[in-house]
Amino acid sequence: MLDRNSIAKRIAQELQDGWYVNLGIGIPTLIANYIPEGISVEFQSENGILGMGPFPFDGEEDADLINAGKQTITAMSGASIFDSATSFAMIRGQHIQLTVLGAMEVAQNGDIANWKIPGKLVKGMGGAMDLVASADNIIVAMMHTNRKGKSKLLKRCSLPLTGVGCVKKIVTNMAVLDIVEGGFKLIERAPGVSIEEIIAATEGHLIVEGDIPEMTF
Amino acid sequence: MNKIVANAEEAIQGIQDDMTLMLGGFGLCGIPENAITALVETGVTGLTCISNNAGVDDFGLGLLLQKRQIKKMVSSYVGENAEFERQMLSGELEVDLIPQGSLAERCRAGGAGIPAFFTPAGYGTEIAEGKEVRMFNGKPHILEMALTADFAIVKAWKGDRMGNLVFKGTARNFNPVMAMAGKITIAEVEELVEPGELDPNTIHTPGIFVQRIFQGEKYEKRIEQRTVRQKEA
């Protein structure tokens, strides 16, 4: 099984030169640490920066420079800063090539739920609804099962939706899966994880065709 | 033209019970700290606060929540605040959660004289309930209404007596769009400068959107998630 960093590392392999990328809170944020060599991407954070850099060195934090997770960050050379409406013009206007975000549940039709557990946890959707409604290319980064061991890859989401039919790819601690007509198509396995284990951990319809390679790093 | 007022207390004159306020900031970054402190002291109550977040328990809008001065929050993300969650789940606090981009655009539209607009964000989710749906380019969109406020309170880095504002870093966030959408907009700044000191080419919010401006007495600028890396040896 992959840890959070390895999930991020695997998703980083999807990055293409010249892309503008929005990374959500949690595992997606870690992707910035694993940009493949020879590739140049610009990270957008929806609170209003393009060209987000790494975390600052101890003592160099700036309260006026944070990411959407409210963490202190730095700005790369060539970065730009803008207001929230302009930021979402980039997102809604499809100027961003890749969006990576976390999820509580993903359904086999591409529905995603990640903002609310009725009666329990209500944090709000933040920018997630805008991101998933507009992005062409959405990857979900999450654990395959929740803390109780229940699958997060479902036939239908049980929680309130964030967006409908929008997720294209999922990278979990167990597998890489594409959302295709009819279900989750297994693309790769995490090192040492068997197809049987993935089937057992996937409630939605899993499509397994031919040999499924292990992820390589 | 001189929009300068002496301090936060003077700036918030006229804010009364049950009014609607917009407050700039993202998390604790770029929030009008001094005006919030002054609002706590007035004891004004029944407020509807439009703000992307609701502060933390003991800073930002959390201070107004503690004193039960807020009746309703209009926000996109309200984690990180236990008191908020308690008041919301117990029904003491009304909460309208709005996708962040729709929130920003609704403020911008309110300030720009656009009464409503269609957006794909939230289609098929519970926030689309009761909203008009229309297809554009083969894709469903929902109708979102513009937002305005009795008072918008924003925080900038520098400003002048004309009301021109310059923001610093990601403290800009919602401030410029909210500045546009207040019937009265109050700007608190870290530094008041003389007209002409701000290069007209670099002004983020033109003074026309600002009615009152003051230099904040002090800025704590609390960091919510201090995250650093270590220098390699």
Side-chain angles (χ1 to χ4, degrees):
Chain A
M1 304 256 189
L2 304 184
D3 61 11
R4 291 158 55 86
N5 280 294
S6 300
I7 294 173
K9 207 168 173 181
R10 174 59 190 82
I11 294 173
Q13 294 174 8
E14 305 289 320
L15 298 173
Q16 290 184 25
D17 194 39
W19 273 6
Y20 291 101
V21 179
N22 180 289
L23 302 177
I25 294 165
I27 298 171
T29 305
L30 302 170
I31 293 168
N33 300 331
Y34 302 106
I35 307 166
E37 238 173 273
I39 283 194
S40 165
V41 294
E42 289 270 294
F43 291 111
Q44 197 248 21
S45 196
E46 65 267 24
N47 58 316
I49 181 169
L50 257 182
M52 176 173 47
F55 297 133
F57 290 119
D58 199 357
E60 294 176 8
E61 318 86 271
D62 179 353
D64 292 327
L65 207 52
I66 64 167
N67 64 17
K70 291 138 192 165
Q71 296 169 308
T72 44
I73 53 160
T74 55
M76 302 293 281
S77 165
S80 59
I81 282 171
F82 33 83
D83 66 68
S84 299
T86 305
S87 181
F88 282 90
M90 294 173 189
I91 290 164
R92 219 185 289 104
Q94 300 189 315
H95 305 281
I96 307 266
Q97 278 76 32
L98 173 66
T99 291
V100 187
L101 73 175
M104 297 172 186
E105 296 177 346
V106 176
Q108 64 192 33
N109 66 349
D111 289 357
I112 176 172
N114 71 352
W115 73 283
K116 185 178 183 182
I117 301 173
K120 277 192 195 154
L121 174 90
V122 187
K123 285 176 183 286
M125 68 293 281
M129 282 192 184
D130 310 270
L131 281 157
V132 301
S134 296
D136 266 337
N137 190 9
I138 298 172
I139 300 179
V140 166
M142 65 177 190
M143 293 297 161
H144 211 96
T145 54
N146 66 20
R147 288 197 182 114
K148 290 180 186 157
K150 289 181 74 178
S151 180
K152 295 171 72 173
L153 291 87
L154 308 174
K155 290 189 176 70
R156 291 173 62 97
C157 291
S158 65
L159 294 168
L161 296 181
T162 307
V164 292
C166 50
V167 176
K168 300 285 192 304
K169 188 182 276 291
I170 306 158
V171 179
T172 74
N173 53 332
M174 300 180 84
V176 177
L177 310 105
D178 281 348
I179 299 229
V180 298
E181 193 68 37
F184 300 106
K185 186 173 183 193
L186 185 58
I187 304 295
E188 292 174 15
R189 298 175 288 124
V193 174
S194 70
I195 291 175
E196 290 67 33
E197 285 174 288
I198 297 167
I199 292 171
T202 308
E203 192 243 13
H205 184 60
L206 188 72
I207 300 165
V208 183
E209 285 174 2
D211 286 340
I212 308 297
E214 282 193 358
M215 299 176 200
T216 52
F217 292 97
Chain B
M1 198 166 282
N2 185 3
K3 298 176 179 176
I4 296 174
V5 294
N7 51 38
E9 292 70 38
E10 200 173 309
I12 62 163
Q13 287 296 315
I15 296 184
Q16 291 164 5
D17 291 355
D18 303 316
M19 278 188 165
T20 296
L21 310 181
M22 280 181 186
L23 297 110
F26 188 102
L28 302 179
C29 182
I31 59 171
E33 307 181 16
N34 290 275
I36 290 171
T37 302
L39 280 171
V40 172
E41 281 163 14
T42 63
V44 63
T45 185
L47 297 171
T48 294
C49 291
I50 303 170
S51 175
N52 188 54
N53 313 91
V56 294
D57 283 325
D58 62 344
F59 199 58
L61 286 179
L63 298 171
L64 285 167
L65 282 165
Q66 267 183 21
K67 300 268 168 132
R68 308 276 205 282
Q69 289 172 272
I70 301 177
K71 179 182 69 182
K72 181 179 179 182
M73 279 299 311
V74 180
S75 303
S76 86
Y77 187 83
V78 293
E80 275 79 71
N81 190 324
E83 175 62 14
F84 181 100
E85 199 153 326
R86 191 199 64 71
Q87 287 186 26
M88 175 167 64
L89 292 173
S90 72
E92 288 165 61
L93 180 71
E94 220 179 305
V95 179
D96 191 3
L97 288 168
I98 297 179
Q100 196 177 123
S102 297
L103 179 61
E105 193 64 16
R106 287 175 70 179
C107 295
R108 202 197 72 82
I114 294 172
F117 58 90
F118 282 96
T119 175
Y123 170 76
T125 76
E126 64 180 50
I127 71 117
E129 284 167 18
K131 290 175 183 164
E132 184 182 338
V133 177
R134 202 186 286 186
M135 300 293 285
F136 293 96
N137 305 317
K139 203 174 153 176
H141 292 70
I142 62 174
L143 185 68
E144 292 282 11
M145 309 301 285
L147 287 169
T148 56
D150 296 308
F151 283 83
I153 310 176
V154 303
K155 188 261 163 182
W157 178 34
K158 291 179 181 180
D160 62 26
R161 64 177 159 83
M162 315 295 288
N164 295 310
L165 303 178
V166 172
F167 303 91
K168 182 165 159 278
T170 55
R172 191 180 323 181
N173 56 63
F174 280 82
N175 284 296
V177 290
M178 289 183 169
M180 294 166 67
K183 288 184 193 119
I184 295 174
T185 291
I186 301 163
E188 63 168 83
V189 298
E190 287 179 54
E191 197 184 335
L192 261 177
V193 300
E194 289 301 317
E197 276 188 50
L198 300 176
D199 178 352
N201 292 298
T202 63
I203 285 168
H204 298 131
T205 291
I208 192 168
F209 296 118
V210 174
Q211 280 69 48
R212 302 176 189 172
I213 188 166
F214 71 98
Q215 186 170 306
E217 196 182 334
K218 65 176 175 68
Y219 284 96
E220 178 181 338
K221 294 219 249 180
R222 194 185 292 186
I223 293 175
E224 208 166 327
Q225 305 281 348
R226 186 179 301 273
T227 314
V228 298
R229 66 192 153 129
Q230 298 305 320
K231 281 195 172 121
E232 282 164 40

